[in-house]
Amino acid sequence: MKDIDPQLKLEDVDARPESAYVWHWKTEHHFSYHKHNKGQLTYVEGGAAFLYTKDKTYFLPARHYMWVPAGVEHYFQHRYPANYVRTIYFFSEPEDQQESFYTKTGIYPVSNLLLEMILHTASWDGDILPDDKRFIFIKAIKYMLPEISSVPLPITLPTTENPRLQPVLKYIQENLGEPLTLENVGHAFNYSERTLTRLFRSTMDISFFQYLKLARMIKAMGYLLETEKTINEIAWDTGYNSVSAFSNTFYKLVGRRPSDFQP
């Protein structure tokens, strides 16, 4: 497949409202926030990524796909090497608003059947129109998604464009293995504990400690799926001195033990 300007490809997605648009790429692209008039399914083959919307960060682990509804501003970044990023943009229909799945951003497990269907489209590129026999296949994928994707990955991380809090969140993300507290994080930015507490609550409706816990668990999921680190090492690298405390926190938030989450 010849190399095409990714920005032009994004513009092509909505050029034919009645079509499905298929795009598989191997090289990493960096996009700014954008949106489509079509719902988007993206599967990262052989890697993992983060999906960013205006108010949340979603971790997209291996063997999962992301669904982005039409009209939702987003971008995503690979955090680990990927073989291919496989994306299908689905035509919108009035009935979509009656099915809650199509209206909510989420990360879902990829069943064996869905994975085979996604891979079946690997040689397709661009618009698939209603008079194309392949359109029936794409429509089957779209219609099966609500039936097989009832339970999204339960952990997401709130984010903000607040200029006072953004550097704080960046600092936390870069130091998750350290013993972070309200006191030492606040001190790094000349905020009192009270000010930092209020800033988290008023801006993201979450406490500092809740945010820290979620950020550490998302980091842990990445380690579990994409590295050879032991659970002991991952616990230490995400700021836990106790493996049992790490494992219990992971289970409460993710619904699975760390050992069960590993491939």
Side-chain angles (χ1 to χ4, degrees):
M1 187 184 303
K2 63 181 181 180
D3 192 19
I4 299 176
D5 183 347
Q7 194 60 45
L8 293 178
K9 294 284 285 186
L10 282 180
E11 294 172 3
D12 286 345
V13 168
D14 289 329
R16 303 289 296 269
E18 73 277 20
S19 78
Y21 195 91
V22 180
W23 186 13
H24 304 277
W25 70 82
K26 192 167 186 177
T27 57
E28 182 173 358
H29 300 316
H30 297 278
F31 301 118
S32 57
Y33 277 110
H34 62 280
K35 60 183 177 180
H36 308 288
N37 296 325
K38 296 176 179 178
Q40 173 181 344
L41 178 158
T42 293
Y43 174 70
V44 180
E45 181 182 335
F50 282 85
L51 168 67
Y52 299 90
T53 65
K54 288 293 187 178
D55 61 349
K56 288 185 179 180
T57 299
Y58 298 79
F59 177 61
L60 177 60
R63 298 288 298 189
H64 288 70
Y65 76 92
M66 71 178 187
W67 174 261
V68 183
V72 172
E73 285 192 275
H74 68 282
Y75 74 94
F76 80 101
Q77 291 180 339
H78 310 170
R79 289 298 179 91
Y80 307 99
N83 296 328
Y84 278 95
V85 178
R86 305 193 181 278
T87 300
I88 303 174
Y89 300 91
F90 294 92
F91 48 92
S92 294
E93 300 171 289
E95 296 82 4
D96 291 351
Q97 297 303 311
Q98 300 173 19
E99 173 55 66
S100 62
F101 170 85
Y102 297 126
T103 65
K104 297 178 181 179
T105 304
I107 307 296
Y108 299 90
V110 170
S111 67
N112 291 335
L113 174 60
L114 178 58
L115 179 56
E116 289 300 319
M117 295 180 80
I118 293 171
L119 295 179
H120 184 74
T121 71
S123 62
W124 303 359
D125 183 53
D127 288 304
I128 308 294
L129 294 165
D131 59 357
D132 187 321
K133 290 182 179 179
R134 296 174 297 174
F135 191 81
I136 298 174
F137 186 86
I138 294 292
K139 184 183 288 190
I141 295 177
K142 178 184 178 183
Y143 290 171
M144 72 184 286
L145 292 179
E147 298 297 325
I148 66 171
S149 305
S150 58
V151 182
L153 197 64
I155 184 168
T156 61
L157 194 64
T159 189
T160 179
E161 295 183 341
N162 185 301
R164 297 180 66 197
L165 197 52
Q166 277 190 328
V168 177
L169 300 186
K170 184 174 185 292
Y171 178 85
I172 291 172
Q173 290 289 340
E174 293 174 348
N175 294 278
L176 289 173
E178 302 301 318
L180 299 175
T181 65
L182 269 171
E183 181 181 8
N184 60 31
V185 173
H187 179 74
F189 293 91
N190 294 317
Y191 291 147
S192 68
E193 294 182 39
R194 185 177 182 182
T195 297
L196 191 57
T197 296
R198 287 180 172 178
L199 194 55
F200 268 86
R201 281 293 186 190
S202 63
T203 304
M204 299 195 302
D205 195 28
I206 191 174
S207 74
F208 167 86
F209 293 106
Q210 286 172 319
Y211 179 88
L212 179 60
K213 186 188 300 182
L214 290 169
R216 282 174 165 162
M217 291 304 103
I218 286 177
K219 185 72 170 180
M221 286 193 289
Y223 281 143
L224 287 165
L225 290 167
E226 302 298 331
T227 74
E228 298 298 322
K229 290 178 180 287
T230 66
I231 292 176
N232 282 10
E233 290 171 329
I234 293 171
W236 179 263
D237 288 345
T238 53
Y240 284 85
N241 294 325
S242 164
V243 175
S244 61
F246 165 75
S247 182
N248 289 337
T249 301
F250 191 95
Y251 181 78
K252 288 177 182 178
L253 291 176
V254 182
R256 296 157 67 182
R257 293 291 177 188
S259 57
D260 296 331
F261 200 79
Q262 290 176 310

